[in-house]
Amino acid sequence: MSFINYSAREINCKIVYYGPGLCGKTTNLKYIYEKTNPDAKGKMITLATETERTLFFDFLPLSLGEIRGFKTRFHLYTVPGQVFYDASRKLILKGVDGVVFVADSQVARFEANIESLENLRSNLQEQGYNLDKLPYVVQYNKRDMAEVSSVEELRRELNPNNVPDFEAVASTGVGVFETLKAVAKQVLTELKRGTGG
Amino acid sequence: MEMLFEEEQQQIQAISDRLQKDSNAIAVLVINKDGQEIARSGQTSDLDITSLSSLFAGNVAATGEIAKFLREEEFGGQFHEGTKQNVHISVVARRAILVVIFDGRSSLGLVRLRVRKATEEMTKIFDALVKKIAAQQAAGIGGGSQLPGEITDEDIDKLFGE
Ligand SMILES: Nc1nc2c(ncn2[C@@H]2O[C@H](COP(=O)(O)OP(=O)(O)O)[C@@H](O)[C@H]2O)c(=O)[nH]1
Ligand SMILES: [Mg+2]
């Protein structure tokens, strides 16, 4: 839920990166962290297992600049991908303003993507959200890997409504900022609608 | 859209200030349930408030969920004991998180006592805030007219240096 603080003159928005385990959600945030000016970012928090799998969430606060004297701050979160962490995923979706679905382009992960997207839909629904009404973009990650599905195939299964989608190689940064900008823009546009702008 | 106006922020700030003094605490933080700061009091300059807020919110969300699985209504509060500092965490009016960081100059008993009082006071303000927002929305003001004017497409593009 976007949070407008008139006292601090801040607009706060929450964006969640969702997707199957190992698709590259944490890698997206790490890249954004590395490439953002120190004054525009806070600390990146990673609650991970000893083997660097996300246990609860990653968190990265960003300040994008001002709109009409209000600081716009984006809080980026990732969810743990493994199926058995579903309770944690639900918690992280609370108060979400925009979603990035990160798909793993590898052929072997085709089904895992579909499952994760279904899981996203039902977890949102449980909390009264509808994915089709939320600011939402899709990223096809790991385009550099050997055995990948075609973008057309992925799009057919994962993006039937044609929301903005992007090819990415998160480990080298390809497509990472394009994805972030697209979802942030949708979130602000939604806010603008709420403000009658 | 959740909103916090200057008036209510100042009232909560005043309660937070008093809580920090009365309980002899190092610092007090008031955070919304999504992990965004509402007020801070005491010695906070060396604290990373943004990080802490997100972690406290995650912690409270997880604890609340654990309570549900155990069929508990809600756990009253949490207390973490460190070697130098202790932390007391509680929920106010189901929508805010109250964090008190204290050391040997205070005690858990004193903190609990003062937190209870501050919680009562803050609850009234949050309840009033909810009514205020609802009334504005019903009147069609939607909080919107007070927002940074109207957000335009250009504003959004500028943010991304386009
Ligand atoms: N080759 C390649 N590897 C990637 C890419 N994105 C992420 N990885 C790697 O995939 C692994 C899992 O990434 P991670 O971000 O932890 O996945 P998460 O579970 O979604 O958070 C890591 O070893 C990353 O370095 C990519 O685009 N290409
Ligand atoms: Mg991860």
Side-chain angles (χ1 to χ4, degrees):
Chain A
M1 201 182 333
S2 53
F3 174 55
I4 303 177
N5 186 336
Y6 291 91
S7 190
R9 299 188 74 73
E10 279 177 4
I11 300 171
N12 293 278
C13 305
K14 175 172 180 177
I15 294 173
V16 174
Y17 283 68
Y18 214 91
L22 299 177
C23 67
K25 301 174 291 292
T26 300
T27 309
N28 264 270
L29 258 64
K30 277 188 183 158
Y31 186 81
I32 295 165
Y33 180 79
E34 278 163 24
K35 297 294 172 187
T36 302
N37 288 332
D39 54 336
K41 69 186 174 195
K43 199 180 259 162
M44 177 163 167
I45 292 175
T46 298
L47 300 181
T49 64
E50 289 191 357
T51 52
E52 287 192 25
R53 303 293 304 267
T54 305
L55 177 64
F56 193 2
F57 58 77
D58 303 305
F59 169 71
L60 174 59
L62 290 181
S63 306
L64 282 185
E66 292 195 353
I67 291 187
R68 318 236 150 176
F70 275 65
K71 282 172 258 168
T72 55
R73 298 168 44 131
F74 283 87
H75 287 180
L76 312 186
Y77 284 84
T78 72
V79 297
Q82 290 109 301
V83 176
F84 55 89
Y85 286 136
D86 204 36
S88 303
R89 272 195 297 279
K90 286 181 197 176
L91 290 182
I92 293 153
L93 281 176
K94 283 194 177 155
V96 66
D97 294 304
V99 178
V100 174
F101 184 79
V102 181
D104 190 327
S105 297
Q106 295 179 94
V107 174
R109 299 298 283 161
F110 199 78
E111 289 299 324
N113 291 324
I114 296 173
E115 241 170 65
S116 174
L117 183 57
E118 277 169 6
N119 175 255
L120 168 63
R121 265 189 192 284
S122 69
N123 280 346
L124 282 172
Q125 218 157 33
E126 227 174 82
Q127 301 185 40
Y129 296 101
N130 179 347
L131 182 60
D132 299 328
K133 295 201 173 125
L134 268 182
Y136 172 51
V137 303
V138 177
Q139 181 187 78
Y140 311 114
N141 190 35
K142 302 203 179 179
R143 296 310 298 167
D144 61 320
M145 302 286 284
E147 304 237 338
V148 297
S149 308
S150 72
V151 171
E152 289 67 39
E153 267 176 288
L154 289 163
R155 189 173 279 146
R156 200 178 317 126
E157 280 300 329
L158 305 174
N159 190 12
N161 293 338
N162 267 312
V163 301
D165 55 4
F166 302 88
E167 293 184 50
V169 184
S171 43
T172 59
V174 176
V176 168
F177 274 96
E178 289 79 353
T179 306
L180 172 63
K181 277 183 193 178
V183 73
K185 207 163 163 170
Q186 279 189 40
V187 168
L188 291 170
T189 305
E190 190 59 31
L191 202 66
K192 169 186 150 184
R193 193 176 312 158
T195 66
Chain B
M1 195 182 307
E2 190 175 323
M3 286 175 270
L4 178 68
F5 304 102
E6 198 120 26
E7 188 188 350
E8 285 79 10
Q9 197 280 332
Q10 281 169 4
Q11 292 170 339
I12 292 167
Q13 182 68 54
I15 300 170
S16 168
D17 288 344
R18 205 171 331 122
L19 170 61
Q20 185 262 323
K21 286 204 187 70
D22 289 352
S23 65
N24 246 335
I26 299 170
V28 170
L29 305 178
V30 187
I31 305 160
N32 80 2
K33 274 201 151 179
D34 291 336
Q36 283 132 357
E37 177 188 355
I38 295 173
R40 65 173 90 173
S41 306
Q43 260 174 265
T44 55
S45 56
D46 53 344
L47 297 179
D48 181 343
I49 305 281
T50 308
S51 298
L52 282 173
S53 298
S54 136
L55 289 169
F56 281 126
N59 178 322
V60 166
T63 309
E65 212 48 34
I66 291 169
K68 266 194 224 158
F69 277 102
L70 297 179
R71 296 198 176 83
E72 279 282 339
E73 179 71 21
E74 195 169 51
F75 292 124
Q78 292 183 55
F79 172 58
H80 299 296
E81 190 173 6
T83 48
K84 289 191 217 71
Q85 291 176 38
N86 312 302
V87 182
H88 185 275
I89 308 167
S90 57
V91 175
V92 179
R94 288 174 183 268
R95 55 171 44 82
I97 299 164
L98 181 56
V99 178
V100 182
I101 303 171
F102 62 100
D103 60 15
R105 287 170 289 181
S106 181
S107 69
L108 181 57
L110 178 63
V111 167
R112 277 201 177 128
L113 187 72
R114 299 301 182 189
V115 160
R116 204 174 304 142
K117 181 155 171 270
T119 300
E120 275 170 26
E121 294 170 357
M122 281 187 196
T123 300
K124 283 184 198 137
I125 295 165
F126 281 115
D127 288 348
L129 178 61
V130 170
K131 285 200 188 110
K132 183 169 171 177
I133 293 171
Q136 284 200 355
Q137 273 162 355
I141 311 171
S145 58
Q146 296 176 51
L147 195 94
E150 288 175 356
I151 300 175
T152 63
D153 290 338
E154 293 88 85
D155 287 331
I156 296 174
D157 287 338
K158 236 188 286 167
L159 215 50
F160 293 102
E162 274 167 23

